[in-house]
Short mmCIF file of all heavy atoms in Angstrom, two decimals:
data_model
loop_
_atom_site.label_atom_id
_atom_site.label_comp_id
_atom_site.label_asym_id
_atom_site.label_seq_id
_atom_site.Cartn_x
_atom_site.Cartn_y
_atom_site.Cartn_z
N ILE A 176 -11.41 118.10 63.01
CA ILE A 176 -11.35 117.42 61.71
C ILE A 176 -12.57 116.53 61.53
O ILE A 176 -13.19 116.48 60.46
CB ILE A 176 -10.05 116.60 61.60
CG1 ILE A 176 -8.84 117.52 61.62
CG2 ILE A 176 -10.06 115.75 60.34
CD1 ILE A 176 -7.52 116.79 61.75
N SER A 177 -12.92 115.80 62.59
CA SER A 177 -14.07 114.90 62.53
C SER A 177 -15.36 115.67 62.22
O SER A 177 -16.16 115.26 61.37
CB SER A 177 -14.22 114.15 63.86
OG SER A 177 -15.40 113.38 63.88
N ALA A 178 -15.54 116.79 62.92
CA ALA A 178 -16.75 117.58 62.69
C ALA A 178 -16.82 118.12 61.27
O ALA A 178 -17.88 118.12 60.64
CB ALA A 178 -16.79 118.74 63.68
N THR A 179 -15.68 118.56 60.75
CA THR A 179 -15.64 119.09 59.39
C THR A 179 -15.97 118.01 58.36
O THR A 179 -16.74 118.23 57.42
CB THR A 179 -14.25 119.67 59.09
OG1 THR A 179 -13.95 120.69 60.05
CG2 THR A 179 -14.21 120.28 57.69
N LEU A 180 -15.40 116.81 58.55
CA LEU A 180 -15.65 115.71 57.62
C LEU A 180 -17.12 115.28 57.66
O LEU A 180 -17.73 115.00 56.62
CB LEU A 180 -14.75 114.51 57.96
CG LEU A 180 -13.26 114.70 57.67
CD1 LEU A 180 -12.48 113.48 58.15
CD2 LEU A 180 -13.02 114.92 56.19
N ILE A 181 -17.69 115.24 58.86
CA ILE A 181 -19.10 114.86 59.00
C ILE A 181 -19.99 115.87 58.28
O ILE A 181 -20.96 115.50 57.61
CB ILE A 181 -19.49 114.73 60.49
CG1 ILE A 181 -18.78 113.51 61.10
CG2 ILE A 181 -21.00 114.60 60.65
CD1 ILE A 181 -18.95 113.39 62.59
N ASP A 182 -19.67 117.16 58.43
CA ASP A 182 -20.45 118.20 57.74
C ASP A 182 -20.38 118.04 56.22
O ASP A 182 -21.32 118.39 55.50
CB ASP A 182 -19.92 119.59 58.13
CG ASP A 182 -20.39 120.00 59.51
OD1 ASP A 182 -21.29 119.34 60.05
OD2 ASP A 182 -19.84 120.98 60.05
N LEU A 183 -19.26 117.50 55.74
CA LEU A 183 -19.09 117.30 54.30
C LEU A 183 -19.64 115.97 53.83
O LEU A 183 -19.54 115.61 52.65
CB LEU A 183 -17.60 117.39 53.93
CG LEU A 183 -16.93 118.75 54.15
CD1 LEU A 183 -15.44 118.66 53.90
CD2 LEU A 183 -17.55 119.81 53.22
N GLY A 184 -20.24 115.22 54.76
CA GLY A 184 -20.83 113.93 54.41
C GLY A 184 -19.82 112.80 54.31
O GLY A 184 -20.10 111.77 53.69
N LEU A 185 -18.64 112.98 54.93
CA LEU A 185 -17.60 111.97 54.87
C LEU A 185 -17.47 111.26 56.21
O LEU A 185 -18.06 111.68 57.21
CB LEU A 185 -16.26 112.61 54.48
CG LEU A 185 -16.25 113.37 53.15
CD1 LEU A 185 -14.94 114.10 52.96
CD2 LEU A 185 -16.49 112.40 51.98
N ASN A 186 -16.67 110.20 56.24
CA ASN A 186 -16.45 109.45 57.48
C ASN A 186 -15.60 110.28 58.43
O ASN A 186 -14.45 110.61 58.13
CB ASN A 186 -15.75 108.12 57.18
CG ASN A 186 -15.48 107.32 58.44
OD1 ASN A 186 -16.12 107.52 59.47
ND2 ASN A 186 -14.52 106.42 58.37
N GLY A 187 -16.14 110.60 59.58
CA GLY A 187 -15.42 111.41 60.55
C GLY A 187 -15.16 110.68 61.86
O GLY A 187 -15.09 111.31 62.91
N ASN A 188 -14.98 109.36 61.77
CA ASN A 188 -14.72 108.57 62.98
C ASN A 188 -13.41 109.00 63.62
O ASN A 188 -12.35 108.95 63.00
CB ASN A 188 -14.67 107.08 62.61
CG ASN A 188 -14.44 106.22 63.83
OD1 ASN A 188 -13.32 105.92 64.19
ND2 ASN A 188 -15.54 105.79 64.47
N GLN A 189 -13.47 109.41 64.90
CA GLN A 189 -12.29 109.94 65.57
C GLN A 189 -11.17 108.92 65.72
O GLN A 189 -9.99 109.23 65.54
CB GLN A 189 -12.67 110.47 66.97
CG GLN A 189 -13.53 111.72 66.93
CD GLN A 189 -15.00 111.40 67.04
OE1 GLN A 189 -15.43 110.32 66.65
NE2 GLN A 189 -15.77 112.34 67.55
N SER A 190 -11.53 107.68 66.02
CA SER A 190 -10.51 106.64 66.19
C SER A 190 -9.76 106.40 64.88
O SER A 190 -8.53 106.24 64.87
CB SER A 190 -11.15 105.34 66.68
OG SER A 190 -11.75 105.52 67.95
N SER A 191 -10.50 106.38 63.77
CA SER A 191 -9.86 106.17 62.47
C SER A 191 -8.91 107.31 62.13
O SER A 191 -7.82 107.09 61.58
CB SER A 191 -10.93 106.06 61.37
OG SER A 191 -11.78 104.95 61.61
N LEU A 192 -9.32 108.53 62.46
CA LEU A 192 -8.46 109.69 62.21
C LEU A 192 -7.19 109.62 63.04
O LEU A 192 -6.10 109.94 62.56
CB LEU A 192 -9.22 110.98 62.50
CG LEU A 192 -10.39 111.31 61.57
CD1 LEU A 192 -11.19 112.49 62.10
CD2 LEU A 192 -9.89 111.60 60.17
N ALA A 193 -7.33 109.23 64.31
CA ALA A 193 -6.16 109.12 65.18
C ALA A 193 -5.20 108.04 64.68
O ALA A 193 -3.98 108.23 64.67
CB ALA A 193 -6.60 108.81 66.61
N ILE A 194 -5.75 106.91 64.25
CA ILE A 194 -4.91 105.83 63.72
C ILE A 194 -4.19 106.28 62.46
O ILE A 194 -3.01 105.95 62.24
CB ILE A 194 -5.78 104.58 63.44
CG1 ILE A 194 -6.28 103.98 64.77
CG2 ILE A 194 -4.99 103.54 62.66
CD1 ILE A 194 -7.27 102.85 64.60
N ALA A 195 -4.88 107.04 61.63
CA ALA A 195 -4.27 107.54 60.39
C ALA A 195 -3.14 108.53 60.68
O ALA A 195 -2.26 108.74 59.83
CB ALA A 195 -5.33 108.20 59.52
N SER A 196 -3.15 109.14 61.86
CA SER A 196 -2.12 110.11 62.22
C SER A 196 -0.85 109.43 62.74
O SER A 196 0.22 110.06 62.76
CB SER A 196 -2.65 111.06 63.31
OG SER A 196 -3.78 111.77 62.86
N ILE A 197 -0.95 108.17 63.15
CA ILE A 197 0.21 107.48 63.72
C ILE A 197 1.35 107.33 62.72
O ILE A 197 2.52 107.59 63.06
CB ILE A 197 -0.22 106.11 64.29
CG1 ILE A 197 -1.13 106.32 65.51
CG2 ILE A 197 1.01 105.28 64.67
CD1 ILE A 197 -1.68 105.03 66.11
N PRO A 198 1.09 106.91 61.45
CA PRO A 198 2.21 106.81 60.49
C PRO A 198 2.94 108.14 60.30
O PRO A 198 4.16 108.15 60.10
CB PRO A 198 1.52 106.36 59.19
CG PRO A 198 0.28 105.68 59.64
CD PRO A 198 -0.18 106.42 60.85
N ILE A 199 2.20 109.26 60.35
CA ILE A 199 2.84 110.57 60.20
C ILE A 199 3.81 110.81 61.34
O ILE A 199 4.93 111.30 61.15
CB ILE A 199 1.77 111.68 60.15
CG1 ILE A 199 0.77 111.43 59.02
CG2 ILE A 199 2.44 113.05 59.99
CD1 ILE A 199 1.40 111.35 57.66
N ALA A 200 3.39 110.47 62.56
CA ALA A 200 4.25 110.65 63.72
C ALA A 200 5.50 109.78 63.61
O ALA A 200 6.61 110.21 63.95
CB ALA A 200 3.48 110.33 65.00
N VAL A 201 5.32 108.55 63.13
CA VAL A 201 6.46 107.63 62.98
C VAL A 201 7.43 108.15 61.92
O VAL A 201 8.66 108.15 62.12
CB VAL A 201 5.96 106.22 62.61
CG1 VAL A 201 7.14 105.31 62.29
CG2 VAL A 201 5.14 105.63 63.75
N ILE A 202 6.90 108.61 60.80
CA ILE A 202 7.74 109.14 59.72
C ILE A 202 8.52 110.36 60.22
O ILE A 202 9.72 110.51 59.94
CB ILE A 202 6.89 109.51 58.50
CG1 ILE A 202 6.33 108.24 57.84
CG2 ILE A 202 7.71 110.31 57.48
CD1 ILE A 202 5.30 108.50 56.77
N ALA A 203 7.84 111.23 60.97
CA ALA A 203 8.51 112.42 61.51
C ALA A 203 9.65 112.03 62.44
O ALA A 203 10.72 112.64 62.42
CB ALA A 203 7.49 113.29 62.27
#
Side-chain angles (χ1 to χ4, degrees):
I176 295 170
S177 174
T179 303
L180 290 176
I181 291 173
D182 283 348
L183 295 173
L185 303 173
N186 179 22
N188 181 269
Q189 291 95 333
S190 297
S191 298
L192 293 171
I194 292 173
S196 300
I197 293 176
I199 303 301
V201 173
I202 291 171

